[in-house]
Amino acid sequence: MARKVFNSPSYVRPCVVDVAIKLLRPESWVFLDGKAHVDYRKGLNGLFTRQALEIYLPGQEEVYDKYFDMFVDLSQQTHSGKPFPYMPMFRELMCAVSCRTFVGHYMSDSAVKKVADDYYKITAALDLVNFPWILPFTRPWYGKKAADMVIDLFAQCAAKAKVRMAAGGEISCIMDGWIKSMQDSEKYRQKIAKGLPVDPSEKPPQILRDFSDFEISLTILTFLFASQDATSSASTWLFQLMADRPEILDKVREENMAVRNGDRDARLTMDMLENMPYTRAVVKETLRYRPPVIMVPYLVKKSFPVTDTYTAPKGSMIIPCCYPALHDPEVYPQPDSYDPDRWITGTAEAASKNWLVFGTGPHYCLGQTYATMNLMAMIGKASLQVNWEHHITPLSEDIKVFATIFPQDDCPLVFSHRP
């Protein structure tokens, strides 16, 4: 049923919640429909190719090095080796990784910290049950102020990136890659307009128009919107699940050492990530077992025959839920058991129709490969650099929903350096 909704763009469109349009701005590309949406996506596809993902790895690894040291200091110095809820720290970590991937070093570490802290207000503003209007001192009001701040910061980054890329700078982040494509497209258009000979190899894969700093900023904000809460949830569960299942973590560690030829300090490459089948299985099973996004609101554009006996009226909201498909016992035997091997020796990989973690249809997640690789990089690197223990509480396996799902006790852990 969820798949049918995702694949019915003529009847429905994503709407999130009413206030989302006000925070992300109505002109944002995610609210485009039909051909306009498809055409816009085509211009972004090149930012998530294998070649592009390899470029982003050094920045991501730099963030992980910094934050894993910070996690150890928090445990050993600030909290004297006592358990501490790390969910908020995982949110900050994933925000820092996203910002480094999206805007590189155009944003300072202090600005990244500000975005991570204030993004919480954006998430709170997007609860299903909330004021539909932005009234002073309500959650939507605080969320709008936070979103405006992020948009302004990203626009400043775009202005800096345009100058650097025009001067011949190398691509180091998503914003660089997109702006380079715009500038290459403009050079191509100028040659064509002047009637100059143009070799076919000079034609960009996608000929893009120039986007303003503000337009670029809005698009980068949607990337952060799509990634922040989902990866924060996934990383929290990953660290908890690995701590509670040391035999699985040992296999992840062994595989990560093997692809690095025994040098745990070897820098990550796409070749390494593509040769980690078990780490990949661990990430996919985490996303299946504890899918970050369990529901996605859609607005019905015209009467939608959902089943033979029910038609959703125009203007209503329909909310497909991904959880049942990912816990279907006919597709995933013993669905409430955490079993990475189902992705290696089992039949899980063939169940593409049930794999709705990243959606499906015209609005499927553009960054699904990036998200999976990022989580693989994170847990693989952590397995080599740090140890962590989970302080299990009666609430550890109970789920709370804050846009995405988290352990109710916020995952109390103790980190230490590996010798």
Side-chain angles (χ1 to χ4, degrees):
M1 189 62 67
R3 190 175 184 85
K4 179 176 182 178
V5 176
F6 290 143
N7 283 308
S8 299
S10 59
Y11 289 102
V12 298
R13 64 173 177 83
C15 64
V16 196
V17 292
D18 184 68
V19 77
I21 297 176
K22 300 178 177 69
L23 268 60
L24 301 179
R25 305 297 179 89
E27 57 266 53
S28 176
W29 77 283
V30 293
F31 301 118
L32 296 175
D33 205 11
K35 186 176 184 299
H37 178 83
V38 172
D39 289 346
Y40 202 108
R41 284 181 71 104
K42 286 180 181 178
L44 301 175
N45 285 334
L47 305 176
F48 296 95
T49 63
R50 184 189 188 280
Q51 182 181 4
L53 294 179
E54 180 114 51
I55 291 171
Y56 313 145
L57 280 175
Q60 293 163 10
E61 198 161 16
E62 173 190 322
V63 173
Y64 287 129
D65 285 338
K66 173 185 174 181
Y67 272 83
F68 291 158
D69 285 343
M70 187 187 302
F71 288 176
V72 173
D73 287 344
L74 267 174
S75 284
Q76 301 303 321
Q77 304 298 324
T78 308
H79 296 281
S80 304
K82 296 179 181 177
F84 171 74
Y86 268 82
M87 184 272 274
M89 291 307 303
F90 293 140
R91 285 183 64 90
E92 182 179 328
L93 165 65
M94 299 318 292
C95 185
V97 170
S98 293
C99 286
R100 191 65 76 233
T101 303
F102 301 159
V103 302
H105 286 276
Y106 299 118
M107 183 181 289
S108 67
D109 288 346
S110 60
V112 170
K113 180 71 165 64
K114 174 69 172 170
V115 172
D117 290 344
D118 283 17
Y119 198 89
Y120 219 88
K121 299 172 184 176
I122 297 175
T123 302
L126 296 174
D127 272 355
L128 279 174
V129 180
N130 229 329
F131 282 103
W133 312 284
I134 298 179
L135 301 176
F137 309 112
T138 61
R139 287 187 296 176
W141 184 77
Y142 285 113
K144 179 66 162 61
K145 287 173 69 69
D148 289 348
M149 179 272 293
V150 176
I151 289 170
D152 183 58
L153 282 174
F154 284 163
Q156 293 175 37
C157 293
K160 296 174 187 175
K162 285 181 177 179
V163 172
R164 180 173 170 274
M165 297 313 295
E170 292 186 0
I171 296 171
S172 65
C173 62
I174 282 177
M175 185 175 280
D176 282 345
W178 196 23
I179 288 172
K180 179 71 162 55
S181 295
M182 295 177 207
Q183 294 176 347
D184 287 349
S185 295
E186 179 58 22
K187 290 176 184 176
Y188 177 79
R189 281 193 297 268
Q190 288 181 5
K191 282 189 174 182
I192 295 296
K194 293 176 181 177
L196 299 174
V198 181
D199 188 274
S201 64
E202 294 183 58
K203 183 178 181 180
Q206 289 290 328
I207 300 176
L208 306 180
R209 67 172 175 86
D210 283 333
F211 289 81
S212 69
D213 297 346
F214 178 71
E215 289 176 310
I216 294 170
S217 177
L218 290 187
T219 300
I220 298 299
L221 176 61
T222 65
F223 291 169
L224 185 61
F225 171 75
S227 66
Q228 173 60 12
D229 292 309
T231 56
S232 297
S233 167
S235 59
T236 303
W237 288 109
L238 258 176
F239 274 100
Q240 176 168 309
L241 289 163
M242 292 302 95
D244 294 346
R245 295 161 177 81
E247 72 284 359
I248 293 177
L249 179 57
D250 284 344
K251 291 181 181 179
V252 170
R253 184 177 295 117
E254 180 181 352
E255 181 175 72
N256 275 263
M257 279 296 284
V259 297
R260 291 169 170 84
N261 295 317
D263 179 6
R264 71 175 180 180
D265 296 321
R267 309 314 281 174
L268 269 171
T269 66
M270 285 297 291
D271 283 342
M272 288 182 187
L273 289 167
E274 289 169 349
N275 283 283
M276 297 181 189
Y278 192 78
T279 306
R280 179 181 176 82
V282 163
V283 168
K284 292 199 72 170
E285 180 66 354
T286 300
L287 295 173
R288 183 207 66 82
Y289 181 69
R290 290 290 183 261
V293 179
I294 56 176
M295 61 185 76
V296 185
Y298 275 72
L299 180 68
V300 179
K301 300 189 292 185
K302 62 181 181 181
S303 295
F304 178 24
V306 182
T307 68
D308 292 338
T309 58
Y310 178 74
T311 296
K314 178 182 178 180
S316 62
M317 182 183 285
I318 187 167
I319 306 177
C321 181
C322 308
Y323 196 92
L326 294 164
H327 284 252
D328 183 348
E330 294 185 8
V331 177
Y332 305 109
Q334 296 182 302
D336 294 326
S337 295
Y338 182 82
D339 180 15
D341 286 326
R342 73 172 80 241
W343 298 95
I344 297 174
T345 59
T347 58
E349 202 66 63
S352 58
K353 289 187 176 181
N354 282 63
W355 182 247
L356 298 179
V357 170
F358 298 102
T360 187
H363 290 274
Y364 76 90
C365 177
L366 193 64
Q368 58 180 302
T369 301
Y370 157 70
T372 303
M373 292 291 192
N374 185 22
L375 291 168
M376 290 172 61
M378 178 199 72
I379 202 64
K381 191 171 181 65
S383 73
L384 301 179
Q385 291 194 351
V386 292
N387 291 320
W388 63 97
E389 298 176 8
H390 179 217
H391 178 69
I392 299 174
T393 77
L395 299 177
S396 292
E397 289 298 325
D398 291 343
I399 293 171
K400 70 175 179 180
V401 179
F402 184 61
T404 50
I405 67 171
F406 297 93
Q408 282 197 15
D409 60 7
D410 288 341
C411 193
L413 300 171
V414 176
F415 279 87
S416 60
H417 282 300
R418 283 185 63 78

